Structure formats: C-alpha cells, structure tokens
Amino acid sequence: MSTTKILITGVTGYIGGSVLGRLLVHPESKSFEIVALVRSAEKAAKISTLGVKTVLGDYDNLALLTELASNADVVFEIVDCDRLPPNEALIQGAKQRFEATGKAPILIHTVPFIMDDAHGLHGNHKVYSDLQSDEIEALPDTALHRNVDLAYLKADKEGFAKAYFITPGTVWGLAKGPLVDLGVQHNQSIQIPYLLKASIARKKAGYIGLGKNIWPIVSNADTADLHLTVFNAIRKNPETVGHGRDGFYFAENGEYIAYEASEAAGKALKELGIADSEEITPFSEEEALKYFGPYWFAFATNSLARGERSRAVGWKPVNGKDDFLASIKPEIVEILKASPQK
C-alpha cells in the first residue's frame, strides 16, 4: 500500500482537531503519514503520542509552510481563511510538489459561508446552493474571505493543485475525540459561545438588532465528517469529485433564527441560576461593542445555503435544529467551568 503524505493545520482548533481525530481512525490510517503544524511545544509532545509527526511553527513562518506543503500529497488547511500570505505559502508548496512529482496535490481549505450585513434586522438573503458554481464564481472579489478563495481557485485553474472548499455555517456542539481527551483541542466554537458569554456577563440572554437574521447550522461532528467524506471520495474516484470552481462543499443541516438561539440561552440561564428570568433583550450598541468588538455586526448577518454537492458525494449529516437548540445549555455549562460566576 502506497503512503499518502498529509499535512494538517489547526489541529488544536475546534474543527481541525476533530478532522485529525477521524484521520487517526480511518480504515487506511496505516498508509497515512500525517504531519501537523503546532505552535505549542507542550501540545506538540502530547499530539505526537497519537502517532502524528508534529512540527513547531505558526502561520507567520511562510518559508516553513511552503516547505511542509511541498512534501504533502494532501493539505488540510483549517486555520485561517482571511490571511492571504500563509495560504499563498501553502499553495507555493503545492506547486513545488507538483513540479517534483508531476501529480497535482490536493488542497482542502475550510472557509465560512457567504454572508450579508443585515445587522439582525431581517432574514432576507439569497439562498446559495453549492451546486451553483456560476453564482459562487460571480461573488465580488471584495467579499469576505474571497481573496484567499481566489488564490486557491487560481492554483486549481493553472493545474498544479486541486482545490476543494469545505464551507460550514454556524458550527456548534462540544467537540469530542482524542485531542480533546489530551487537553490540546479547543472544544467550543466561536460564534455561539460569543453570544453566550455576553449573555452570561449581563445575566440576561440577548440578541442584536431584532434577532431576525438566519444562519445554517452544522454540528462539529458533521463538519469533520464532511472533510473526510470529500477526502474519501477524492481517493476513491477523483474524476467524479468537483474541484476548483466546482469544488465548494457547503456544510449545513437546517437553519436557525438568531432570536431562537437567544430564547434557548434565556431558558438555560434561568435554569442554571445565572438569570432571574428567561426574558431576552436586545444588546445596546454599547453592549455590542463591549462584548463583540468593532465587528459586532458580523454576529448579526444572514447566510443561507444548501449543501447539495456535499450530499451528492455521500455526506450524511445527522444532527439537526432540535439538537442545536438542546446544545445551548451544555455550551453554557462548559463556559461556566472555565469562568465560574461569583
């Protein structure tokens, strides 16, 4: 059995660690040579016990990124969808790999959904399907994350790499797996916990604007599964798996209105004794700035999408909206463990 050299970034992160966990129990894992880029020597030592080769470094070391990618058949990029230089360094490494082997390496890049600037005032937004390549390609170059996407698309078009984009909505749920057990992986996402931390701090659940904005949902487990589904499909029959402009794979299994998540948070805060009532109220602009920073409006956007291409390659998500709303209370409990309330 030939060896597949895999580079994965973001293994201590919420999604990256879950993807690595699945690679470690893959039926063909004995044929994988996995290299993980890790910033912490202490975490690297723990991850090494899983049979993963770790390299100390970060996304500021562009030369190292290029070198690592130049030795990989497959790159899972699960760290930064906004900074162009590190991603260009990985792409340059892929080009060197192609020049050395004559075979285009696989680049699997994780990037969030298309969003608007609704400020929580409405739920009106175009619904995108990941099968609508023309409409995705027509997005303006100024769209969020688009500059990095374009670099991967250019590499694919030039033929020295095959680019695939895993594109999740609101990723939720406490991560589980060997890296969580080792204490090296973040087990919570950003989007929902931000809302919950703010609600805990003010002792009352809140929402932005009117709370009418809508987002797709996908569990951490289903998101990691999609990475592996695409990876497996490429290995089995690469000619049937869309890449480049046809390589967007949306991760969604239902959707929620922001107000609904806040209602679930209000109920949980009351049950946990953090709030006096289940009442939810809008964040003032001052609170939005305080709790979410200058880009607070990003937490009140719309993003509507359908993962039809994802399902066509065999992805079968199992966690839906009821599971998402039920996850709010455990998320709050986890936050309270880290920062007990006085």
Side-chain angles (χ1 to χ4, degrees):
M1 186 180 292
S2 61
T3 299
T4 301
K5 296 185 175 183
I6 299 171
L7 169 65
I8 180 168
T9 65
V11 296
T12 62
Y14 178 60
I15 296 174
S18 296
V19 172
L20 176 56
R22 282 155 174 74
L23 286 171
L24 293 172
V25 296
H26 192 283
E28 299 170 31
S29 61
K30 286 187 166 66
S31 70
F32 299 161
E33 184 180 298
I34 303 174
V35 175
L37 180 67
V38 186
R39 287 181 297 180
S40 159
E42 181 183 355
K43 290 184 177 182
K46 291 181 179 180
I47 293 168
S48 295
T49 65
L50 299 174
V52 176
K53 179 183 177 182
T54 56
V55 176
L56 280 177
D58 57 34
Y59 260 40
D60 292 320
N61 192 334
L62 303 184
L64 177 61
L65 290 172
T66 298
E67 179 187 351
L68 292 174
S70 72
N71 292 314
D73 302 307
V74 181
V75 177
F76 284 93
E77 192 290 308
I78 321 178
V79 171
D80 197 329
C81 60
D82 288 316
R83 285 200 297 163
L84 186 58
N87 285 281
E88 286 183 324
L90 292 171
I91 291 167
Q92 180 59 34
K95 188 173 185 179
Q96 292 178 11
R97 180 73 174 174
F98 174 73
E99 291 169 347
T101 66
K103 183 178 179 181
I106 294 162
L107 303 178
I108 300 176
H109 175 62
T110 307
V111 57
F113 270 151
I114 304 154
M115 61 187 76
D116 64 11
D117 58 352
H119 287 64
L121 300 178
H122 63 81
N124 302 319
H125 187 60
K126 177 179 174 57
V127 179
Y128 286 89
S129 164
D130 51 10
L131 288 173
Q132 296 170 329
S133 301
D134 288 345
E135 298 194 22
I136 296 172
E137 192 170 47
L139 289 169
D141 292 357
T142 55
L144 196 61
H145 320 304
R146 189 64 178 162
N147 60 331
V148 175
D149 291 357
L150 291 172
Y152 282 98
L153 289 165
K154 183 173 183 287
D156 188 280
K157 192 172 184 178
E158 292 181 4
F160 62 81
K162 290 187 176 180
Y164 306 82
F165 303 84
I166 307 297
T167 308
T170 294
V171 188
W172 61 269
L174 299 176
K176 299 176 182 178
L179 283 92
V180 173
D181 295 341
L182 285 174
V184 299
Q185 178 188 350
H186 295 298
N187 72 336
Q188 286 189 291
S189 184
I190 295 174
Q191 194 173 356
I192 293 300
Y194 246 105
L195 169 74
L196 300 180
K197 288 174 184 177
S199 296
I200 291 168
R202 75 203 287 258
K203 300 188 184 304
K204 182 178 291 186
Y207 53 90
I208 296 174
L210 299 176
K212 290 185 175 182
N213 53 300
I214 302 172
W215 263 75
I217 47 171
V218 61
S219 70
N220 172 274
D222 284 334
T223 303
D225 285 346
L226 179 56
H227 283 77
L228 270 292
T229 297
V230 172
F231 172 73
N232 289 336
I234 296 166
R235 289 170 61 79
K236 183 177 180 181
N237 197 348
E239 299 310 314
T240 66
V241 185
H243 57 90
R245 73 185 298 275
D246 298 318
F248 284 83
Y249 296 84
F250 291 173
E252 57 74 27
N253 195 34
E255 58 194 28
Y256 73 101
I257 302 169
Y259 195 90
E260 295 175 312
S262 296
E263 282 186 317
K267 182 178 180 181
L269 288 176
K270 174 66 165 61
E271 291 174 351
L272 292 167
I274 301 298
D276 294 332
S277 74
E278 296 181 8
E279 180 189 12
I280 61 175
T281 59
F283 292 106
S284 66
E285 190 168 335
E286 291 75 19
E287 286 179 317
L289 282 168
K290 176 181 178 181
Y291 295 124
F292 306 107
Y295 298 104
W296 59 267
F297 50 85
F299 291 88
T301 56
N302 284 303
S303 183
L304 300 176
R306 301 289 180 265
E308 295 173 305
R309 188 187 304 276
S310 296
R311 288 171 173 82
V313 296
W315 183 55
K316 297 177 181 177
V318 297
N319 304 123
K321 183 175 178 177
D322 289 345
D323 302 304
F324 163 68
L325 293 175
S327 77
I328 298 289
K329 186 175 180 180
E331 292 271 12
I332 293 174
V333 171
E334 191 69 15
I335 292 167
L336 294 174
K337 281 183 189 176
S339 301
Q341 299 298 292
K342 295 179 180 180

